[in-house]
């Protein structure tokens, strides 16, 4: 009646296009891009397009309950905000705006290990609203212990260990732009705020530079400083706590980036390492990036509490199986023993409903809320997430159902191709 319009587009395609217009090329590429030819990204969406809901009629759907239980918490809907790193690329308030939006809706936020705002700051903004912490397994066990301890102290209710990124995937959009946010000091706030990490950085900065044969010839060949290099140094100085001018003169910011790059991940981790982590936290441990039923079974045998079926949004292994295609196998393997979550390709409430019908306890949103953040900060995230919750509730009711527990594969049909041209 008043002609008020939504702050951000209500459908994913429009949201992404609007964010593209707003963002600089590198920020857009970092969020939108995937591994290789982005076949997995397309497959993640195509997998949703092969399922159709068959609505039922003439059932009283006037009262509906979209809530679900997860690790002892009742959530308003089977939806979480997944870990998305380096959000300062798209909005200066970054994770803090997301934390406020999540808390406003009571939807859990998974703090990224690559966040732009320390977990304590986000936790402080969330009251007792639920949050989890996502971890990459560092080469420093001491750092892992420190991060886990901080997550517990920040009221995180689960620990998500991301296993599909022991090495960063092959991402042509970033490669072609010569862009890696972490090398510019972006997305390393969980590290620069960590006492163990800071000690490692100080030790690195104090260590005498290794003398290598041919070093002076090497120095002679070094490229002259460019504007980009100066910008990078300023970015690093900003990332390190303390006054900017002091940081510009200090070796620590650069040492922090170098330390991060050398310790953020340990590709040698195996199943044998899980017992160590299990013994160090009482939080539920959730493994993210599980796609094979045998890995899911093994995870539970090793004392893990849940898994996230995920392709990291198609950013790691190009031509890997789509997450939704992997879901039924993982659910058949462990669905009766532990919660199975899903992300990668969830764009709407209807998508969430299909995933839950196929056995997911809940879904994690990724890119959709990042685009909302880019366009309108906290309000943008708030709208994107409440749009998904609203559509989930409507779709549930319009399908003839009143609670999440009624969702099962029975309400779906497999279809050959969803987008068959109709000639219209
Ligand atoms: C820009 C960006 C940054 C991400 N950063 C992280 C991260 O720090 N940790 C992590 O476990 N997953 C990360 N992910 C993966 C997401 O948690 C999630 O798996 C993915 O976004 C799902 O795909 P979708 O957004 O296409 O639905 C990131 C994804 C994007 C798009």
């Amino acid at each position: 009646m008043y002609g008020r319009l939504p702050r951000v587009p209500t459908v994913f395609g429009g949201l992404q296009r609007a964010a593209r217009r707003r963002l600089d090329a590198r920020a857009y590429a970092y969020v939108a891009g995937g591994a290789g030819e982005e076949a997995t990204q397309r497959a993640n969406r195509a997998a949703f397009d092969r399922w159709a809901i068959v609505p039922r009629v003439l059932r009283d759907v006037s009262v509906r309950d979209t809530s679900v239980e997860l690790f002892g918490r009742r959530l308003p809907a089977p939806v979480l905000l997944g870990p998305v790193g380096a959000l300062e690329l798209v909005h200066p308030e970054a994770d803090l705006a997301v934390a406020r939006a999540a808390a406003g809706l009571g939807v859990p936020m998974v703090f990224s290990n690559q966040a732009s705002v320390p977990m304590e700051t986000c936790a402080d903004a969330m009251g007792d609203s639920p949050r989890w912490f996502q971890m990459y397994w560092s080469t420093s066990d001491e750092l892992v212990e420190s991060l886990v301890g901080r997550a517990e102290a920040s009221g995180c209710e689960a620990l998500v260990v991301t296993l599909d990124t022991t090495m960063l995937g092959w991402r042509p959009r970033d490669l072609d732009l010569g862009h890696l946010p972490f090398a510019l000091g972006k997305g390393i706030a969980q590290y620069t705020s960590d006492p163990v990490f800071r000690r490692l950085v100080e030790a690195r900065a104090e260590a005498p530079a290794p003398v290598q044969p041919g070093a002076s010839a090497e120095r002679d060949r070094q490229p002259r400083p460019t504007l980009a290099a100066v910008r990078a140094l300023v970015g690093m100085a900003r990332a390190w706590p303390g006054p900017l001018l002091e940081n510009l003169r200090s070796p620590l910011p650069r040492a922090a980036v170098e330390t991060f790059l050398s310790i953020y991940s340990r590709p040698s981790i195996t199943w044998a390492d899980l017992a160590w982590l299990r013994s160090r936290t009482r939080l539920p441990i959730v493994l993210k990036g599980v796609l094979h039923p045998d890995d899911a079974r093994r995870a539970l045998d090793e004392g893990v509490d849940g898994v996230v079926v995920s392709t990291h949004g198609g950013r790691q292994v190009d031509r890997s199986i789509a997450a939704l295609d992997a879901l039924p196998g993982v659910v058949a393997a462990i669905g009766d023993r532990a919660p199975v979550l899903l992300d990668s390709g969830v764009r709407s409430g209807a998508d969430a409903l299909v995933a839950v019908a196929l056995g997911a306890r809940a879904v994690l949103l990724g890119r959709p809320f990042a685009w909302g953040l880019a366009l309108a900060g906290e309000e943008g995230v708030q709208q994107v997430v409440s749009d998904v919750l609203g559509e989930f509730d409507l779709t549930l009711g319009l399908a003839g159902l009143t609670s999440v527990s009624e969702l099962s594969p029975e309400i779906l049909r497999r279809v050959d191709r969803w987008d068959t041209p109709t000639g219209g």
Side-chain angles (χ1 to χ4, degrees):
M1 194 171 89
Y2 292 101
R4 285 196 204 112
L5 300 179
R7 280 296 302 269
V8 301
T10 54
V11 74
F12 181 80
L15 195 60
Q16 175 155 340
R17 280 191 297 278
R20 181 176 204 160
R21 287 193 292 275
R22 175 73 59 89
L23 293 172
D24 71 63
R26 297 199 300 180
Y28 177 78
Y30 184 69
V31 179
E37 295 188 21
E38 302 185 341
T40 301
Q41 267 206 83
R42 290 189 295 279
N44 281 332
R45 289 299 306 149
F48 278 95
D49 289 341
R50 285 192 297 272
W51 288 104
I53 300 162
V54 186
R56 304 296 304 272
V57 296
L58 288 175
R59 299 162 162 211
D60 179 357
V61 293
S62 54
V63 180
R64 300 173 300 280
D65 178 8
T66 60
S67 72
V68 290
E69 190 269 336
L70 194 52
F71 299 132
R73 263 270 193 179
R74 193 137 278 275
L75 309 179
V79 174
L80 296 86
L81 303 192
V84 174
L87 284 173
E88 70 202 272
L89 286 173
V90 304
H91 194 278
E93 286 171 14
D95 310 80
L96 190 54
V98 179
R100 290 188 179 124
L105 295 164
V107 168
M109 171 177 178
V110 185
F111 298 154
S112 164
N113 207 158
Q114 301 314 130
S116 301
V117 179
M119 62 181 108
E120 290 81 2
T121 310
C122 290
D124 279 351
M126 294 185 78
D128 68 353
S129 203
R131 57 258 188 184
W132 297 5
F133 177 64
Q134 172 266 322
M135 190 189 89
Y136 287 121
W137 203 305
S138 165
T139 54
S140 161
D141 286 350
E142 216 191 335
L143 178 60
V144 171
E145 281 190 285
S146 179
L147 289 167
V148 171
R150 289 171 60 199
E152 288 173 347
S154 301
C156 294
E157 295 174 8
L159 189 64
V160 177
V161 184
T162 299
L163 298 176
D164 56 23
T165 312
T166 51
M167 293 166 283
L168 203 64
W170 182 257
R171 300 186 188 163
R173 292 204 212 197
D174 298 331
L175 291 168
D176 286 347
L177 291 169
H179 181 225
L180 180 67
F182 317 114
L184 305 176
K186 292 181 175 154
I188 61 169
Q190 308 290 24
Y191 298 82
T192 53
S193 57
D194 190 280
V196 170
F197 181 80
R198 292 173 63 95
R199 212 167 12 76
L200 295 171
V201 171
E202 278 154 21
R204 187 183 191 102
E206 276 164 24
V211 182
Q212 285 161 0
S216 66
E218 187 59 34
R219 204 171 31 243
D220 293 343
R221 278 201 301 275
Q222 290 239 334
R224 288 155 60 88
T226 59
L227 185 61
V230 173
R231 281 212 190 107
L233 286 171
V234 174
M236 291 177 198
R238 272 193 220 288
W240 191 251
L244 179 63
L245 270 180
E246 218 168 274
N247 287 349
L248 282 170
R249 283 193 289 264
S250 159
L252 293 175
R254 189 176 171 154
V257 168
E258 289 168 0
T259 308
F260 164 76
L261 291 172
S262 68
I263 69 164
Y264 98 94
S265 170
R266 177 154 74 79
S268 67
I269 50 168
T270 68
W271 293 106
D273 292 297
L274 281 180
W276 178 87
L277 185 65
R278 184 66 289 173
S279 72
R280 269 155 186 79
T281 182
R282 301 229 309 276
L283 292 179
I285 296 176
V286 179
L287 300 187
K288 179 168 180 276
V290 171
L291 293 164
H292 197 292
D294 290 350
D295 284 348
R297 264 185 224 106
R298 177 84 189 257
L300 292 211
D301 294 346
E302 302 285 348
V304 157
D305 303 277
V307 301
V308 184
V309 175
S310 169
T311 65
H312 211 106
R315 296 162 74 80
Q316 285 299 101
V317 179
D318 196 25
R319 305 210 172 279
S320 91
I321 183 171
L324 196 74
D325 286 336
L327 179 67
V330 172
V331 169
I334 63 159
D336 53 344
R337 294 165 70 195
V340 177
L341 312 187
L342 173 125
D343 74 30
S344 299
V346 178
R347 299 289 173 259
S348 69
D351 290 348
L353 188 128
V354 166
V356 174
L358 288 173
R361 181 74 66 89
V363 298
L364 284 75
L365 296 176
R367 291 183 176 97
F369 81 78
W371 297 139
L373 176 68
L375 288 171
E378 177 188 341
E379 271 186 64
V381 178
Q382 203 267 350
Q383 193 204 301
V384 167
V385 180
S386 59
D387 287 349
V388 170
L389 303 188
E391 193 194 345
F392 180 85
D393 175 40
L394 269 176
T395 310
L396 186 75
L398 292 172
L401 307 168
T402 56
S403 80
V404 176
S405 60
E406 293 167 50
L407 292 172
S408 77
E410 293 291 293
I411 70 144
L412 303 178
R413 290 289 177 277
R414 192 96 173 142
V415 289
D416 279 350
R417 232 175 61 216
W418 187 245
D419 57 347
T420 310
T422 56

